[in-house]
Amino acid sequence: MQLTFEAELTKTQLEVQEQTMQTIGADLHDNIGQLLSLTSLTLNSIELDNETKARQKINDSIGLTLRSIKEMRLLGHLLQGDQLVALGLPEAIRQEVSWMERSGRYEIVYIPGEELPAAGNPDKDLIIFRIVQEIFNNIIKHAAATQISIALDHFDGHLKLTMTDNGVGFNADSLPGGKAGMGLQNIRKRAAIIGGEAAIISSPGEGSRVTISIPYP
């Protein structure tokens, strides 16, 4: 059991790093790349014989450059990868929520656990964090959702994570095949490895709810 847990932990660390790099790549292309391209276009369109318009475009370019610097700093924090979990599970999830919200596609309500122990459990936290990423991935790829709610509760030595979306849903009694089904199976498997269980409730047209309950003394 210990060897199985250690193998799963290593796999999870690699997956978190891979997810981080995919996020960084997408953001460099879709966000920072566009900001820098717009900065270049603005600078190239400056007409030096019109001082007023030239000054405005220079100011616009400075603003775009400052936004690019801010975005790069955010990416620098993300490059810490699984070090995010060292800040505590609630904060790691908050960072992931922030990246989801930046797409403009989702309204997300996040209620972190106020009673969560400050020290946490780094190994369990990493696997829980990866479960959160897995659920987000399923929502992005398959749910067509617009609203997501996340609640993290700690009581009686147990951690409860609940994630709900208003997407298209599916028949929970028969897991979908392919990668979607594998993702849901991975969620259950990982919850079991750290002594917990996952309950997945969904119906076509009625969204989905995933509840993870884990011993967390």
Side-chain angles (χ1 to χ4, degrees), residues 8-9 43 67 73-75 93 115 130 138 165 182 194 197 201 208 214-215:
E8 187 64 29
L9 186 61
L43 289 171
R67 281 180 60 190
R73 285 176 176 165
L74 289 173
L75 281 182
I93 295 175
E115 302 300 322
R130 180 55 189 156
N138 283 340
D165 70 72
M182 287 298 295
I194 50 179
E197 59 183 17
I201 299 174
S208 304
I214 294 166

Side-chain angles (χ1 to χ4, degrees), residues 40-79:
S40 177
L41 287 171
T42 304
L43 289 171
N44 283 324
S45 67
I46 291 175
E47 299 176 6
L48 295 177
D49 56 350
N50 188 326
E51 184 176 345
T52 302
K53 287 186 177 180
R55 172 52 56 189
Q56 181 59 51
K57 289 191 175 183
I58 289 171
N59 288 337
D60 290 344
S61 298
I62 291 171
L64 288 167
T65 303
L66 291 174
R67 281 180 60 190
S68 299
I69 292 171
K70 181 180 178 181
E71 297 296 330
M72 288 297 292
R73 285 176 176 165
L74 289 173
L75 281 182
H77 291 308
L78 193 63
L79 273 169

